[in-house]
Amino acid sequence: MRLTVAQALLRFLQAQHSERDGETRRLIPAVFGIFGHGNVAGLGQALEECGPDLPYYRPFNEQSMVHTAIGYAKAQRRRSALACTSSIGPGATNMLSGAASATVNRLPVLLLPGDIYATRQQGPVLQQLEHPISADLSVNDCFRPVSRFFDRISRPEQLLTALPEAMRVLTDPADCGAVTIALPQDVQSHAYDYPARFFERRSWRIERRPPDPQSIRQAVAWPKEASRPLIIAGGGVLYSEASHELETFSEEFGVPVAETSAGKGAVRRSSAMLLGGGGVTGTPAAAKAMSEADLVLLVGTRLSDFTTGSHSAFQNADVRFVHVNVSRQDACKLGALPVVSDAREALRSLTAAAREAGLKPKAEHARDLTGAKERWQRTLQSEVFAPRPGEAMSQGELVGILNAEARAGDVVIAAAGSPPGDLLKLWDASGGRACHIEFGFSCMGYEIPAGLGVRLAGAPGEVYVYIGDGTYLMNPTELVTALQEGLKITIVLSENHGYQVIRQLQMARAGRSFGNEFRSRDPKSRRLDGEYLPIDFAKNAESMGARAWNVRTPDELRRALRDARAEPRSGVIVVETEKHRFPPPSGVWWDVAPAEVSEDAGTRELRRAYERDRERLQRFYF
Ligand SMILES: Cc1ncc(C[n+]2csc(CCOP(=O)(O)OP(=O)(O)O)c2C)c(N)n1
Ligand SMILES: [Mg+2]
């Protein structure tokens, strides 16, 4: 079939499917893109010819479209991915943060940046980076470290090898992430006689790799000796759709569960075994369980420093780890006994083996943790969800109200600032009130585009985007895409007048407030500590066509949330919140080093305290 490279690429994508558990879906059901000279005559022409079988969506920022694709892939549990096409130069480099977010979070996205002319004669073309000693290098080479597969198509027939590889990586649970196929501007329009067989329907089975029986036997031999076991559930539980198996194992053998950010909502029931979020931004109950655990069953987590407290959270001198993960790299972290496997398959095998071994819950351990959990519940009621006289609403109160108003089928999204920590600590995901936290790359600006991705993936209820004022200011523009496409999202914006989570960290590690609040430059101090800026977020949202509400009180927030549910359009609820009020800490340490030398006595004291804590808490596990 004589086709251009761009036409062949899209025709190939139209024929690709994924299959898991007997369910087949289109692997790449849509393409997002912003055109420029680097892709308009190539991919743009081919997309227009495709018609509705491969719908095209036009966003307003290339980074955002990759974030939409990530939100979509996460909501699809990695069964489908979106493609994103950009022009060359800045259009392409705008996708880099998205590529890194996808790769860090192990979520499949297909990136198709335009590239400089393969024929070279006409260069430097507009937006070309000229490297003094490397003529085959372009800005797209920046995608290499943030992609799980990279190729540049400098001849049409290269598609025949590149595209199957791309599909293999996108559908591999251990290898997936950003896949980048760079497409030189001229080559996109070149024609070639492709074999018709290349475009035949193809299905990529997303494997459920079973565990090695010997590692299962070894893994269940350990819990018999353990008196304080704990499960840490990561994103892998959600991607593998292993919630039922996780709940069964945890409840049958009385093993409490803490969830990571990516794994938030892995336990769907209101289970007595659930300790909530674990790690730096988790609950004190989970922190206690982590600190005391002598056996930790890790399931599908990459063990970021927020989970391990920078290798300080597990304080039991005899602690041992078993790690179920599709990636052997992750499974071997912390010196764990690796169970390289799909989470659902491994949990089923572990449950069967534990039954056979006659494993029983440890009553004393369960009682102990129930006490810690009840204390946390009391703190929530008396401190976190309760109003404080003379203060604006706290973000804790905000989350409590949003959680109470949420219904089955709704999903709340957060990624940067204090919102992801708030949700990990406070959100109750039982009753089908799903939670989607991106805290692998924690990229400000992920939230609104991801909301579109979650909606596009078919969220049945409300899609709430819980976002800080700073993050909203970084990237509110995909609201326009939401309205253009009728993809309804409801943004709940906490107006606390600054990058307050960073200010809080700064106060704890540097001791002085500097540069984080939204204040004008003071003529005397010549610093940003003048008046707070009067930013009208509601007007900003309205100017893009969204509905907007300004709220200050809990009742106003409840009313706005109900209005928003009834409203077909996307909207923004701007909530005035207390600037420096945060929910109580988990007690888990985090390694952020204060300056080793300073003129300031306060900073020196913070450094001393940091060194004491580091010495006392941080460990090597091997
Ligand atoms: C793209 C990007 N730039 C910088 C950061 C570092 N950062 C993390 S949170 C944050 C402040 C977020 O402010 P806001 O959204 O208002 O949330 P708040 O801290 O007030 O809760 C910053 C700058 C980041 N995570 N992502
Ligand atoms: Mg803020």
Side-chain angles (χ1 to χ4, degrees):
M1 293 173 80
R2 191 151 184 85
L3 296 168
T4 68
V5 164
Q7 290 159 0
L9 188 155
L10 297 182
R11 189 177 284 247
F12 176 86
L13 294 184
Q14 284 174 283
Q16 307 306 306
H17 296 76
S18 75
E19 186 251 298
R20 193 171 73 177
D21 306 333
E23 204 191 309
T24 303
R25 299 181 186 181
R26 275 281 286 276
L27 179 55
I28 313 282
V31 179
F32 273 67
I34 293 182
F35 300 133
H37 63 96
N39 62 342
V40 72
L43 265 173
Q45 186 276 341
L47 263 171
E48 196 274 331
E49 273 189 1
C50 273
D53 184 64
L54 190 61
Y56 161 68
Y57 291 87
R58 199 268 334 284
F60 290 91
N61 174 300
E62 290 89 354
Q63 182 186 114
S64 301
M65 71 185 173
V66 185
H67 286 155
T68 297
I70 298 170
Y72 179 86
K74 181 160 179 161
Q76 286 275 353
R77 304 295 186 235
R78 306 201 285 212
R79 289 162 185 244
S80 291
L82 300 174
C84 299
T85 161
S86 77
S87 189
I88 73 168
T93 51
N94 267 358
M95 295 204 292
L96 283 168
S97 293
S101 301
T103 293
V104 165
N105 284 289
R106 285 89 192 265
L107 287 163
V109 299
L110 176 60
L111 307 182
L112 306 169
D115 212 327
I116 54 170
Y117 269 73
T119 45
R120 304 278 159 74
Q121 184 195 356
Q122 48 295 90
V125 295
L126 176 66
Q127 302 167 327
Q128 175 167 349
L129 171 82
E130 285 182 281
H131 194 279
I133 59 158
S134 183
D136 67 346
L137 198 142
S138 82
V139 293
N140 285 346
D141 288 277
C142 299
F143 281 99
R144 291 178 191 272
V146 291
S147 298
R148 300 303 299 264
F149 179 72
F150 178 94
D151 203 355
R152 179 179 279 120
I153 305 299
S154 47
R155 295 179 58 89
E157 59 269 46
Q158 286 171 350
L159 281 188
L160 300 170
T161 51
L163 293 182
E165 274 295 280
M167 301 303 113
R168 173 186 68 75
V169 173
L170 290 171
T171 53
D172 185 319
D175 284 349
C176 68
V179 165
T180 304
I181 305 289
L183 297 161
Q185 185 183 332
D186 50 343
V187 179
Q188 285 178 45
S189 305
H190 284 182
Y192 182 75
D193 292 315
Y194 286 96
R197 209 162 54 80
F198 189 54
F199 307 110
E200 282 172 14
R201 188 181 194 283
R202 184 154 179 187
S203 189
W204 298 82
R205 204 165 59 76
I206 300 176
E207 262 178 33
R208 286 194 179 274
R209 181 197 270 229
D212 161 42
Q214 195 177 330
S215 47
I216 293 292
R217 273 198 301 279
Q218 240 180 311
V220 289
W222 283 4
K224 276 199 170 157
E225 305 155 22
S227 60
R228 300 190 160 274
L230 172 71
I231 295 170
I232 295 185
V237 175
L238 294 175
Y239 303 145
S240 159
E241 297 176 287
S243 288
H244 172 70
E245 286 73 11
L246 175 75
E247 290 160 356
T248 304
F249 184 90
S250 140
E251 292 189 357
E252 191 167 328
F253 306 110
V255 187
V257 182
E259 293 170 336
T260 71
S261 297
K264 177 74 183 178
V267 175
R268 293 163 309 185
R269 304 181 194 154
S270 150
S271 164
M273 284 297 126
L274 180 61
L275 300 169
V280 178
T281 46
T283 69
K288 174 176 156 64
M290 287 166 78
S291 168
E292 296 172 354
D294 53 1
L295 179 69
V296 185
L297 173 59
L298 305 158
V299 188
T301 164
R302 58 194 288 271
L303 290 166
S304 84
D305 61 347
F306 264 72
T307 299
T308 66
S310 311
H311 290 205
S312 76
F314 305 102
Q315 285 297 324
N316 188 317
D318 301 319
V319 64
R320 288 192 291 183
F321 301 90
V322 174
H323 194 166
V324 172
N325 206 300
V326 285
S327 146
R328 194 171 166 82
Q329 184 191 7
D330 286 333
C332 288
K333 287 174 180 170
L334 303 184
L337 168 69
V339 180
V340 181
S341 168
D342 170 73
R344 197 185 77 182
E345 296 304 306
L347 285 164
R348 282 182 183 170
S349 299
L350 284 169
T351 302
R355 279 180 191 153
E356 208 169 294
L359 219 71
K360 293 278 175 303
K362 313 272 194 290
E364 193 190 330
H365 178 43
R367 261 198 307 279
D368 221 32
L369 288 170
T370 310
K373 223 181 125 167
E374 280 169 2
R375 278 196 296 286
W376 173 239
Q377 288 302 326
R378 282 197 296 275
T379 307
L380 287 182
Q381 297 315 322
S382 64
E383 277 184 46
V384 181
F385 298 146
R388 284 173 192 259
E391 286 192 7
M393 203 188 307
S394 71
Q395 288 193 174
E397 266 182 284
L398 184 163
V399 172
I401 292 165
L402 181 58
N403 210 165
E405 291 292 320
R407 298 185 195 158
D410 293 349
V411 53
V412 63
I413 298 164
S418 46
D422 286 355
L423 294 184
L424 183 67
K425 193 183 295 242
L426 306 175
W427 190 262
D428 174 358
S430 67
R433 296 167 297 175
C435 187
H436 175 128
I437 303 176
E438 189 283 287
F439 208 60
F441 209 51
S442 185
C443 190
M444 288 169 77
Y446 172 81
E447 300 82 347
I448 296 172
L452 305 189
V454 170
R455 175 60 78 204
L456 211 54
E462 289 287 279
V463 175
Y464 292 116
V465 173
Y466 173 33
I467 196 170
D469 45 2
T471 301
Y472 178 88
L473 285 174
M474 193 172 274
N475 182 25
T477 27
E478 293 313 315
L479 250 179
V480 180
T481 314
L483 293 155
Q484 156 193 307
E485 301 293 345
L487 294 169
K488 185 193 170 190
I489 55 171
T490 300
I491 298 171
V492 180
L493 188 161
S494 168
E495 187 177 2
N496 62 10
H497 306 272
Y499 297 152
Q500 296 297 0
V501 84
I502 304 298
R503 180 186 177 276
Q504 184 199 30
L505 179 63
Q506 178 177 54
M507 296 308 285
R509 289 297 198 253
R512 289 161 183 257
S513 178
F514 174 65
N516 278 310
E517 294 199 285
F518 302 156
R519 302 167 77 158
S520 58
R521 190 166 299 282
D522 183 89
K524 278 206 216 82
S525 70
R526 299 173 71 185
R527 291 187 173 214
L528 297 175
D529 49 16
E531 294 295 312
Y532 283 95
L533 300 170
I535 303 164
D536 194 331
F537 289 93
K539 272 201 187 132
N540 174 275
E542 279 165 354
S543 77
M544 289 185 270
R547 229 188 119 177
W549 298 259
N550 269 311
V551 309
R552 290 184 159 267
T553 66
D555 276 341
E556 284 170 1
L557 175 56
R558 281 185 204 100
R559 267 202 300 278
L561 286 166
R562 287 169 199 172
D563 275 5
R565 190 183 288 279
E567 165 71 53
R569 245 186 321 161
S570 291
V572 181
I573 303 174
V574 184
V575 190
E576 173 73 29
T577 53
E578 189 63 25
K579 296 182 188 72
H580 305 144
R581 170 73 55 202
F582 296 91
S586 65
V588 176
W589 185 75
W590 186 34
D591 194 340
V592 178
E596 206 168 344
V597 290
S598 166
E599 298 283 300
D600 183 70
T603 306
R604 288 199 300 272
E605 181 43 41
L606 289 172
R607 176 72 195 193
R608 277 192 293 275
Y610 161 80
E611 283 176 6
R612 278 196 303 272
D613 287 344
R614 192 182 59 186
E615 189 65 26
R616 186 169 60 88
L617 296 168
Q618 201 164 38
R619 290 187 45 185
F620 283 105
Y621 306 91
F622 37 74

